[in-house]
Amino acid sequence: MSTQRVHLSIESKLDHVSLIGVLVRALATQLGYGNMDSFQIELAVVEAVNNSIEHSYLGEPNKKVDVSLAIGEGNFVLTIADDGIPMPSKVLAESDESASSDDFPEGGRGLDIIRQVMDSVTYERGSRNSLHLIKRLPSH
Amino acid sequence: MSTQRVHLSIESKLDHVSLIGVLVRALATQLGYGNMDSFQIELAVVEAVNNSIEHSYLGEPNKKVDVSLAIGEGNFVLTIADDGIPMPSKVLAESDESASSDDFPEGGRGLDIIRQVMDSVTYERGSRNSLHLIKRLPSH
Amino acid sequence: MKTETNRVGQTTVIKLLERRLGADKAGEFKAEIGKYVEAGETKIVLDLAELSFMDSSGLGALVSVLKMIGKRGDLTIAGTQATVQTLFRLTRMDKVFRSFPTVSEAVQALTPQDTLKG
Amino acid sequence: MKTETNRVGQTTVIKLLERRLGADKAGEFKAEIGKYVEAGETKIVLDLAELSFMDSSGLGALVSVLKMIGKRGDLTIAGTQATVQTLFRLTRMDKVFRSFPTVSEAVQALTPQDTLKG
Ligand SMILES: Nc1ncnc2c1ncn2[C@@H]1O[C@H](COP(=O)(O)OP(=O)(O)O)[C@@H](O)[C@H]1O
Ligand SMILES: Nc1ncnc2c1ncn2[C@@H]1O[C@H](COP(=O)(O)OP(=O)(O)O)[C@@H](O)[C@H]1O
């Protein structure tokens, strides 16, 4: 079976993000992931899309966030792409421990979650910004 | 609540169509449609995407089929769009009764299914071909 | 195309071990089931219990298998989920394919005493 | 933001009647629950049984409510689905928010005798 691919996209408004979440979680379940993994995959993609909207586009609507899904070679690969301000290079590398002097910050947890639930997380700056998330497919 | 929108797209290969089907059915279920309706909505969108690939693009790969989903104002609106050969104008209007002299044809049932399961079916030729399918959202 | 085949008397019971039968798999399905018809099996039960989705192309493949069998035998269907069964109803193919809840009923429908009724 | 509120002794039990608490709803949630804190309610149980999804922004809203309450009272959580509970674990917020399977346990945890233990 060759790699199967589908592309999702939404306008950069937080209102639309839940649709991406619902779709990705349902696909994960269909791919054989358990409830827990499917939830965590939804969580990771929602965090990434929220970041594109809030940080790359600074909340500006009418921009486009793309989520490409590829299933093949034992991996579920999710790529979240935008055309906004790239993530600063050190942000992805550092753990959230150092992120805030506040004991209980209200934000700053998204990337840490993504790193924890995914098997691989890479980021590409270029003509577009692309965050690549990889999760091993469940074994049959 | 304003209209929520998400766009899906695949390359024009039959291999990818099931992903669209799975995603749309899962979303339908989440929107509150019963099992039967969710299956039939999946069926309609899969028939429409298959038609774009097989008839509009004549099976040529590397083309794009778009499926836009909009939820709002009491309707679930699915738009299937391609840039291939448009559907002949009379095809959508006629019922499949007249379609074949063969009692048990192997094809020719897709559009009739779509018409039966959807509340509204319209087709637009233009710079692109767009098939608009509307299903009333389930009442709460 | 994953299948599991059993013989019950004169009948070949083919269980489809797939969740989907769409346009991408219709050709493969036709070829796979066609092999049995070519090998002389003309009483076939298709167990579709695993299927959660079938489209008109999948149904077209079933029609083509039925035509291959022709007057030499028959094909019945077992175990379709209620959702998949609506595809038969929407296309009026429920008048053409006899469908039964269980494999044993579908086998029963192909045994000689039944041909009197059928 | 749909909620349903009950009073049990000194405790306000707020049941969230939403399936998702994401970035799009976090502000609304904070405002809605914040109203109770501003009105002087400082023992709050949040019943999250209906939630099938929450993200870090939803969690941030919970943190902000907890901060509003501050030293004047406490907030406990009831009924989280196992999936949603992992969000607390992944962010180590399970050390900050006490979470209980049922509303009555969450209420119990806020009653005076318990403050000795807590
Ligand atoms: N897509 C992005 N583009 C630009 N900056 C980003 C992006 N994602 C994250 N960042 C930066 O990294 C920080 C940490 O992100 P995250 O862990 O997701 O927490 P939060 O979004 O709650 O602040 C953000 O506050 C922001 O400064
Ligand atoms: N998107 C399309 N573009 C061009 N022609 C189409 C399209 N969809 C359908 N058609 C025409 O209408 C006919 C009937 O379509 P349909 O009912 O879906 O059955 P089938 O695809 O099995 O032939 C097709 O055979 C084709 O000639």
Side-chain angles (χ1 to χ4, degrees):
Chain A
M1 185 82 182
S2 60
T3 299
Q4 279 192 302
R5 286 176 207 281
V6 63
H7 305 277
L8 316 183
S9 70
I10 56 168
E11 203 200 301
S12 53
K13 286 178 69 178
L14 293 175
D15 288 353
H16 301 314
V17 179
S18 68
L19 288 180
I20 296 278
V22 167
L23 292 171
V24 166
R25 185 180 193 161
L27 182 60
T29 300
Q30 191 73 19
L31 293 173
Y33 291 103
N35 263 345
M36 225 50 143
D37 277 343
S38 297
F39 169 81
Q40 294 186 355
I41 293 168
E42 171 175 17
L43 183 57
V45 79
V46 164
E47 295 292 344
V49 174
N50 285 344
N51 280 349
S52 287
I53 295 174
E54 296 178 326
H55 305 305
S56 291
Y57 291 130
L58 302 170
E60 201 184 333
N62 303 316
K63 302 290 181 179
K64 196 156 150 281
V65 182
D66 290 292
V67 177
S68 300
L69 309 176
I71 298 126
E73 291 164 21
N75 287 326
F76 185 21
V77 183
L78 304 96
T79 302
I80 296 87
D82 64 58
D83 305 293
I85 304 163
M87 219 188 311
S89 41
K90 57 178 192 144
V91 168
L92 190 62
E94 71 196 9
S95 132
D96 79 333
E97 309 284 347
S98 59
S100 172
S101 54
D102 185 342
D103 268 358
F104 304 124
E106 287 171 40
R109 299 186 177 88
L111 287 168
D112 191 51
I113 290 171
I114 295 171
R115 274 188 299 255
Q116 286 187 66
V117 306
M118 287 289 158
D119 293 321
S120 155
V121 180
T122 51
Y123 188 69
E124 225 178 297
R125 283 169 206 79
S127 56
R128 317 197 66 199
N129 312 308
S130 303
L131 184 69
H132 302 278
L133 311 180
I134 304 182
K135 184 95 179 168
R136 294 290 305 164
L137 285 169
S139 43
H140 311 277
Chain B
M1 184 83 180
S2 60
T3 300
Q4 279 192 301
R5 288 175 206 282
V6 62
H7 304 276
L8 315 183
S9 70
I10 56 167
E11 203 202 300
S12 52
K13 284 179 70 178
L14 294 175
D15 289 353
H16 301 314
V17 179
S18 68
L19 288 181
I20 296 277
V22 167
L23 292 171
V24 167
R25 186 180 192 161
L27 182 59
T29 301
Q30 192 73 18
L31 294 174
Y33 291 103
N35 263 345
M36 225 49 145
D37 277 343
S38 297
F39 169 81
Q40 293 185 356
I41 293 168
E42 170 175 17
L43 183 57
V45 78
V46 164
E47 295 292 343
V49 174
N50 285 344
N51 279 350
S52 287
I53 296 174
E54 296 178 326
H55 304 305
S56 291
Y57 291 130
L58 302 171
E60 200 183 334
N62 302 317
K63 302 292 180 178
K64 195 154 150 284
V65 182
D66 289 290
V67 177
S68 299
L69 309 176
I71 299 125
E73 292 165 21
N75 288 325
F76 185 21
V77 183
L78 305 95
T79 302
I80 296 90
D82 64 58
D83 305 292
I85 304 163
M87 216 187 315
S89 41
K90 58 179 190 142
V91 167
L92 190 63
E94 72 196 9
S95 132
D96 78 335
E97 309 283 346
S98 58
S100 172
S101 55
D102 186 343
D103 267 357
F104 303 125
E106 286 171 41
R109 299 185 176 89
L111 286 169
D112 190 52
I113 290 171
I114 294 171
R115 274 188 298 254
Q116 286 188 67
V117 306
M118 287 290 158
D119 292 321
S120 153
V121 180
T122 51
Y123 189 68
E124 225 179 296
R125 283 168 207 81
S127 58
R128 315 197 68 197
N129 312 309
S130 302
L131 183 69
H132 302 278
L133 311 180
I134 303 182
K135 183 96 178 166
R136 293 291 305 164
L137 285 169
S139 43
H140 310 276
Chain C
M1 184 71 31
K2 282 188 226 143
T3 56
E4 192 183 279
T5 307
N6 278 297
R7 203 158 225 299
V8 182
Q10 304 278 52
T11 302
T12 307
V13 178
I14 306 172
K15 185 177 174 64
L16 190 61
L17 301 173
E18 302 275 341
R19 287 196 298 188
R20 303 182 62 90
L21 183 56
D24 54 336
K25 297 285 181 63
E28 210 184 309
F29 173 84
K30 199 164 126 176
E32 174 78 12
I33 311 299
K35 278 193 299 189
Y36 291 93
V37 182
E38 278 165 22
E41 309 291 344
T42 55
K43 291 184 176 187
I44 294 177
V45 169
L46 272 177
D47 180 352
L48 301 182
E50 298 286 310
L51 270 194
S52 66
F53 183 77
M54 173 156 62
D55 65 13
S56 73
S57 305
L59 186 64
L62 254 69
V63 169
S64 105
V65 171
L66 193 67
K67 285 180 172 176
M68 284 173 77
I69 296 175
K71 298 213 149 75
R72 293 179 293 157
D74 200 3
L75 175 145
T76 56
I77 288 169
T80 49
Q81 295 174 18
T83 44
V84 171
Q85 190 59 32
T86 59
L87 173 65
F88 288 87
R89 211 157 39 236
L90 287 166
T91 55
R92 291 176 300 281
M93 285 294 110
D94 55 345
K95 306 274 182 276
V96 176
F97 291 96
R98 288 186 294 162
S99 187
F100 302 88
T102 63
V103 169
S104 57
E105 288 164 278
V107 169
Q108 185 63 29
L110 294 178
T111 56
Q113 66 268 30
D114 248 71
T115 55
L116 296 173
K117 298 191 225 149
Chain D
M1 184 72 33
K2 282 186 226 144
T3 57
E4 191 183 279
T5 307
N6 278 296
R7 202 157 226 298
V8 182
Q10 304 278 53
T11 302
T12 308
V13 178
I14 306 170
K15 185 175 174 65
L16 190 60
L17 301 173
E18 301 275 340
R19 287 196 298 187
R20 304 181 62 90
L21 183 56
D24 53 336
K25 298 284 180 64
E28 211 184 311
F29 173 84
K30 201 163 123 176
E32 174 79 12
I33 311 299
K35 279 193 296 189
Y36 291 94
V37 183
E38 279 165 22
E41 308 291 342
T42 55
K43 291 184 175 188
I44 293 176
V45 169
L46 271 177
D47 180 353
L48 302 181
E50 297 287 308
L51 270 194
S52 67
F53 183 78
M54 173 157 59
D55 65 15
S56 73
S57 305
L59 187 64
L62 254 69
V63 169
S64 106
V65 171
L66 193 67
K67 285 180 172 176
M68 285 173 76
I69 297 175
K71 295 211 150 76
R72 294 179 291 156
D74 201 3
L75 175 147
T76 56
I77 288 169
T80 50
Q81 295 174 18
T83 44
V84 170
Q85 191 57 35
T86 59
L87 173 65
F88 289 86
R89 211 157 41 238
L90 287 166
T91 55
R92 292 175 299 282
M93 285 295 109
D94 54 345
K95 306 274 181 275
V96 176
F97 292 96
R98 288 186 295 162
S99 186
F100 301 88
T102 64
V103 168
S104 56
E105 288 164 279
V107 169
Q108 185 62 29
L110 294 178
T111 57
Q113 67 268 30
D114 248 71
T115 55
L116 296 173
K117 299 190 222 151

